[in-house]
Amino acid sequence: MIFKAVGDSRPYPDHGLTARQWTDVPPRLVRLVDLITTKRTLDLQMLLSEDSTFYGDLFAHVVEYENELYLEDGLHRALRAALHQRPTLHARVLVVS
């Protein structure tokens, strides 16, 4: 199993962060098996693209809510890490209460 669970929604309250504000959240290593996805599908072109981070953040965005880690943005990065047999991913983790 790659992820803890595969979800299709964001069960946490809206945090209101913009893409620019995410850069203030320091990245850290997270284990893929601790993540719950918030999307069930992925655009395969995003996964295979060499420049998928050219216009975006280099780090995945994860929301910690009620002691669970939700992968909000960066599913393609997480799957790429799994395909390379890496058990961890660098992500910006926002704690929401």
Side-chain angles (χ1 to χ4, degrees), residues 31-42:
R31 295 179 343 138
L32 295 177
V33 297
D34 293 336
L35 294 174
I36 300 170
T37 69
T38 59
K39 298 177 190 172
R40 286 189 181 273
T41 60
L42 170 71

Side-chain angles (χ1 to χ4, degrees), residues 18-85:
T18 65
R20 187 173 200 74
Q21 291 170 321
W22 269 102
T23 61
D24 294 332
V25 179
R28 69 175 201 198
L29 274 178
V30 295
R31 295 179 343 138
L32 295 177
V33 297
D34 293 336
L35 294 174
I36 300 170
T37 69
T38 59
K39 298 177 190 172
R40 286 189 181 273
T41 60
L42 170 71
D43 180 358
L44 190 56
Q45 189 169 0
M46 284 292 289
L47 177 65
L48 301 175
S49 176
E50 291 286 330
D51 62 349
S52 64
T53 59
F54 184 75
Y55 294 105
D57 196 341
L58 294 174
F59 303 103
H61 296 172
V62 172
V63 174
E64 183 177 342
Y65 177 66
E66 296 182 347
N67 296 319
E68 298 288 357
L69 296 175
Y70 294 95
L71 180 61
E72 180 174 290
D73 184 47
L75 180 57
H76 60 292
R77 291 177 190 86
L79 285 175
R80 194 176 300 138
L83 288 171
H84 285 98
Q85 298 181 349

Side-chain angles (χ1 to χ4, degrees), residues 78-93:
L79 285 175
R80 194 176 300 138
L83 288 171
H84 285 98
Q85 298 181 349
R86 293 191 308 257
T88 59
L89 172 73
H90 282 93
R92 299 182 188 280
V93 180

